[in-house]
Amino acid sequence: MNKPTVTTTNHQIVIVGGGAGGIATAASLLKRDPTLDVAIIEPKDVHYYQPGWTMIGGGIFEPSQTRRAMAEVMPAGALWIRAAVAEFLPESNQLALESGERIGYQILIAAPGIKLDWDRVEGLTDTLGKNGVTSNYRFDLAPYTWKLVQELRQGTALFSQPPMPIKCAGAPQKALYLSCSQWLKLGRLSNIKVAFHNAGGALFGVADYVPALMEYMNKYNAELCFNQNLVAVDGPAQKAWFEVTDEQGQKTRLERRFDMLHVCPPQVAPDFVRNSPLANAEGWIDVNPENLQHNHFDNIFALGDATSTPNAKTAAAVRKQAPVVAENVLSVLKQQPLKAHYDGYGSCPLTVEHGKIVLAEFGYGGRLLPTFAKIWLNGLKATRRAWFLKASLLPWVYFNLMLKGREWLAKSQPNPK
Ligand code: FAD
C-alpha cells in the first residue's frame, strides 16, 4: 500500500503564533528588508490586545477596543498560514501542522504564548462566568468582572494568584484594586470583605514597588493571604479551597465562602512546546536570555510568554524583544555574529485606582529600567500620567507602532559585554 503523501511548503522565515510577539517580529523584519519571505502560522482569526482586558474588567474599556481581525494586523508582505502547529521537527528544519502538512524553514521564530490551565483548579471550568466566578484572563469573561463589581453591595470578594510564572504578574492584583476603587467610590467598600490569596510569598516580585502597592492594600482594607494557592471551586455553593503552605512546608486546606471570586488561572508552556525538542526541563522554549537564540538550534529564535527567559511575561517585554530577534535573525542569514541584546525589560502598569497607576518597569534580576518612568513620571508612586499612558497611549503604541515595526523606545541595543 502507498504511504499517504505529505505536502511540504518551504519558507525562508517561519513564525509560529500571530500574537504580540509573532506580529511585532514579522513587522520588524519586513521593515528592515521587505524582500524577506516571511510566513506566520496562526489558527485564530482574531488578534487581542490582552493588556486591555484588565481595563474591561474595571469598566474603563469596551471589549471592542481590545480586538482586531487577524487579517488587519498581519504585516503587508507576510504570508498568513491559517493553521495550528502540532509538532516541532528541528532536526529536519520543519514543522508539522495539525492537518498533517509540513512547513519547512531556514529560520524559525516561535511565539506561541502561554497555556492557561483552568482545569488545574478542580471545578473551575464549569463555573466560570456564573455564580460570581470570573477572570480578566479571558476576553469573554472580563465584562462579567465589571458586572459583578457593579452588582456587589456587600459580602466577600476573593482574588487569586497562582504560582509563577504567569503573564502579567500584576494582573491578579490590578483586578482587586480596580474593584475596590469602584466600591469605595460607591460607598460600599466597608460592607465588602476583600482578600488577595497569593500562591507566592510577596505582593510583587520587585521589592521597590511594594510600598506604593501596600498603601493601596491598606487603603482598601484588603486581607493579604500569602502562600495560599487556589485548588478547587464549588460554584453553586460559592465556596473556594486554597492549599496553604506554612513556614515548615506543611500543607493544609482552607475553605472560604465568596460572593465574587476573580481567578487568575495556573499557567504552563503549551503542550506542543513542552513535548518538543525545543523545551527545557520546565517545558519553556530554551533560549539564550540575552540574544533570544535557541540554546541548541542556531536557526531558531523565540520570544514572548513561551520562552525560558526570566523576565516579566508582558507585551512590554515583547516590544523590546521583537527588534532583538529581527536583528539577530538577519545576522544569522548574513552569517554574521549576533549583535542585538535584550536586557530583560518588562513592564507592569499597576492600576491601583481609577485614574492612577504605579508603572513598574524592570529588567533581569529586578533591576529598575525606567523608560517612560524616566522621561515623564515617578515610577515608584501612583500617578495620573501613568494612567494616561495605559488608558490612552499604550493601546495606540501597540497597534500603530509595535505591530507595525515602528520601534519607538524599543530600538535594539548591542551587547554591552
Ligand atoms: P500571545 O500574544 O498570547 O500570542 C500567542 C499566539 O500564538 C496566539 O495568537 C495563539 O493563537 C498562537 N498559537 C497558540 N498555539 C499555536 C499553535 N499550535 N500554532 C500556531 N499558533 C499558535 N502585558 C503588558 O505588557 N502590560 C499589561 O498591562 C498586561 N496586562 C495583561 C493582562 C491580562 C489579563 C493578560 C491576559 C495579559 C496581560 N499582559 C500584559 C500580557 C501580554 O498580553 C502577553 O505577555 C503578550 O500577549 C505575550 O505575547 P505572545 O506573542 O508571547 O503571546
Side-chain angles (χ1 to χ4, degrees):
M1 211 171 75
N2 287 339
K3 272 196 193 167
T5 41
V6 177
T7 345
T8 307
T9 322
N10 291 297
H11 293 279
Q12 185 182 27
I13 300 172
V14 171
I15 298 179
V16 179
I23 299 291
T25 310
S28 281
L29 280 165
L30 289 162
K31 224 11 339 97
R32 284 169 172 75
D33 182 355
T35 67
L36 293 169
D37 163 24
V38 179
I40 303 176
I41 308 176
E42 166 60 58
K44 295 195 183 141
D45 57 7
V46 177
H47 178 104
Y48 293 105
Y49 175 60
Q50 299 169 40
W53 295 353
T54 297
M55 303 296 263
I56 300 174
I60 301 120
F61 283 1
E62 288 299 322
S64 60
Q65 289 173 263
T66 69
R67 88 184 251 164
R68 296 282 186 280
M70 190 61 76
E72 224 180 282
V73 301
M74 281 284 155
L79 173 77
W80 175 18
I81 300 173
R82 199 174 161 194
V85 173
E87 208 181 338
F88 292 100
L89 304 163
E91 305 292 351
S92 54
N93 296 322
Q94 285 186 339
L95 297 163
L97 303 183
E98 280 180 358
S99 62
E101 198 190 326
R102 298 245 172 130
I103 307 285
Y105 56 80
Q106 193 180 340
I107 302 277
L108 174 70
I109 300 168
I114 204 163
K115 176 179 166 185
L116 302 180
D117 206 354
W118 305 97
D119 290 337
R120 253 186 212 203
V121 179
E122 196 189 318
L124 176 59
T125 308
D126 292 342
T127 190
L128 280 169
K130 51 187 190 223
N131 302 315
V133 183
T134 189
S135 178
N136 290 343
Y137 275 75
R138 251 177 48 184
F139 172 76
D140 59 324
L141 294 176
Y144 184 51
T145 303
W146 182 233
K147 184 171 183 282
L148 291 174
V149 169
Q150 287 170 293
E151 287 173 359
L152 192 68
R153 292 175 183 277
Q154 57 183 25
T156 302
L158 308 180
F159 296 80
S160 77
Q161 177 171 313
M164 292 290 144
I166 59 171
K167 58 178 158 186
C168 194
Q173 58 188 285
K174 290 187 212 177
L176 179 151
Y177 298 130
L178 287 179
S179 304
C180 289
S181 171
Q182 182 66 7
W183 292 324
L184 189 64
K185 184 176 144 202
L186 299 174
R188 298 180 194 165
L189 188 59
S190 52
N191 298 325
I192 300 173
K193 205 177 168 116
V194 176
F196 185 52
H197 290 266
N198 182 351
L203 185 53
F204 196 70
V206 183
D208 299 76
Y209 297 105
V210 171
L213 302 175
M214 272 310 296
E215 254 182 55
Y216 280 90
M217 286 292 183
N218 291 335
K219 175 175 170 178
Y220 298 138
N221 203 18
E223 180 191 356
L224 290 182
C225 310
F226 293 119
N227 305 310
Q228 300 199 359
N229 189 23
L230 178 69
V231 288
V233 180
D234 180 338
Q238 295 198 301
K239 283 184 184 165
W241 287 268
F242 298 89
E243 188 175 75
V244 184
T245 309
D246 70 15
E247 280 169 10
Q248 283 73 44
Q250 301 287 343
K251 293 189 190 303
T252 49
R253 270 206 176 193
L254 171 76
E255 179 185 297
R256 280 201 89 163
R257 238 203 55 76
F258 62 82
D259 297 281
M260 171 179 168
L261 171 65
H262 179 276
V263 179
C264 173
Q267 298 173 37
V268 292
D271 299 336
F272 78 111
V273 168
R274 168 179 300 280
N275 303 321
S276 81
L278 303 195
N280 70 5
E282 287 77 44
W284 307 104
I285 305 174
D286 190 12
V287 294
N288 177 312
E290 296 191 344
N291 59 31
L292 305 175
Q293 185 180 41
H294 196 273
N295 281 322
H296 306 296
F297 303 102
D298 288 352
N299 64 338
I300 299 182
F301 289 79
L303 75 162
D305 296 345
T307 75
S308 57
T309 57
N311 56 278
K313 293 186 185 297
T314 55
V318 168
R319 193 166 56 82
K320 295 272 194 169
Q321 292 171 342
V324 172
V325 172
E327 277 295 319
N328 287 342
V329 162
L330 291 181
S331 294
V332 171
L333 288 174
K334 291 181 204 152
Q335 298 182 315
Q336 291 173 352
L338 306 190
K339 291 192 292 272
H341 169 263
Y342 171 57
D343 57 11
Y345 177 87
S347 160
C348 189
L350 291 134
T351 49
V352 285
E353 63 175 287
H354 281 86
K356 280 196 182 174
I357 275 178
V358 173
L359 181 63
E361 291 183 284
F362 50 94
Y364 289 139
R367 186 163 70 93
L368 301 192
L369 290 176
T371 53
F372 294 109
K374 186 156 90 189
I375 55 175
W376 212 38
L377 44 87
N378 178 352
L380 298 181
K381 288 213 173 325
T383 64
R384 288 194 186 286
R385 282 184 171 192
W387 180 269
F388 171 74
L389 184 75
K390 166 94 184 158
S392 304
L393 210 53
L394 285 180
W396 187 87
V397 167
Y398 181 84
F399 286 116
N400 297 297
L401 301 184
M402 181 173 149
L403 296 194
K404 299 260 193 298
R406 298 181 185 127
E407 297 159 5
W408 182 56
L409 292 178
K411 287 266 174 285
S412 68
Q413 302 295 325
N415 193 333
K417 286 178 200 159

